[in-house]
Amino acid sequence: NIPEFIALEEHYFMHGAGIGSEPLRVREMELEVDISPVSNAYTIPTDYVGIIDVAAKTSPIRSLDLISKRAANNIYPTRGSGFPNHYFVVGSSLTVLPYTSADIEFTYYQSLPALGDSNASNWLLAKMPNLYLRGALMEAGMHLSQPDLAAPMKSLTDGYISTLNNASDAARFANGSMVPTEFWA
């Protein structure tokens, strides 16, 4: 059952398990790609687990704000075309409004490369092998209905994920200054 435990723990790493179990979101997972529209829709990469930023590659480049599909229907009832301001996501498609022919710069968290027969290692296993060990033991404890094993391993797994996330955030903003994103007159 070990390959099954590893696959389950990788899913846990990517999605967390609700309150107190945050998903893994670190700089090693960040990727930026340019995507072109096809029939006014942009296809989200299949390894996507979370959006960081969406920007229209207009001149000048413009960060877009996420809105719900309902809000999009109310704000852009005819969809129109023009200088883009917003986007919404349905399934694996992203729609920019008003419609534009511009590419988008899609910055996102990509899923962890899964371990398996054709992939014996990944950046996380190399960086923190103890996280993989604790996660596999957590999954084994749950599978075997052994809460005395599962509970402490879950606590350690969640702690390691939180430590990695906090270290990544600290490194990202180290020695940086805050810059306002909007200016008011």
Side-chain angles (χ1 to χ4, degrees), residues 1-8 143-144:
N1 296 44
I2 292 172
E4 179 185 343
F5 299 155
I6 291 171
L8 288 169
H143 177 76
L144 298 170

Side-chain angles (χ1 to χ4, degrees), residues 156-178:
L156 285 169
T157 299
D158 290 343
Y160 289 140
I161 289 171
S162 182
T163 297
L164 285 171
N165 286 345
N166 291 339
S168 183
D169 288 345
R172 179 182 293 116
F173 300 113
N175 299 319
S177 59
M178 294 189 65

Side-chain angles (χ1 to χ4, degrees), residues 10 20-21 24 35 40 42 60-62 69 71-72 78 81 91 102 114 120 126 130 138 148 153 160 166 173 182 185:
E10 288 173 339
S21 298
L24 184 66
I35 306 172
N40 295 315
Y42 300 80
I61 196 164
R62 182 173 176 87
K69 174 114 193 271
T78 64
S81 62
N130 49 347
M138 172 189 72
D148 291 345
M153 292 304 112
Y160 289 140
N166 291 339
F173 300 113
E182 295 185 27

Side-chain angles (χ1 to χ4, degrees), residues 37-60:
V38 176
S39 300
N40 295 315
Y42 300 80
T43 301
I44 295 173
T46 56
D47 63 349
Y48 144 89
V49 292
I51 293 175
I52 298 170
D53 188 49
V54 177
K57 295 192 77 173
T58 55
S59 182

Side-chain angles (χ1 to χ4, degrees), residues 40 71-82 88 95-99:
N40 295 315
N73 291 339
N74 291 331
I75 298 169
Y76 304 99
T78 64
R79 297 296 192 246
S81 62
F88 67 88
T95 301
V96 173
L97 294 171
Y99 287 150

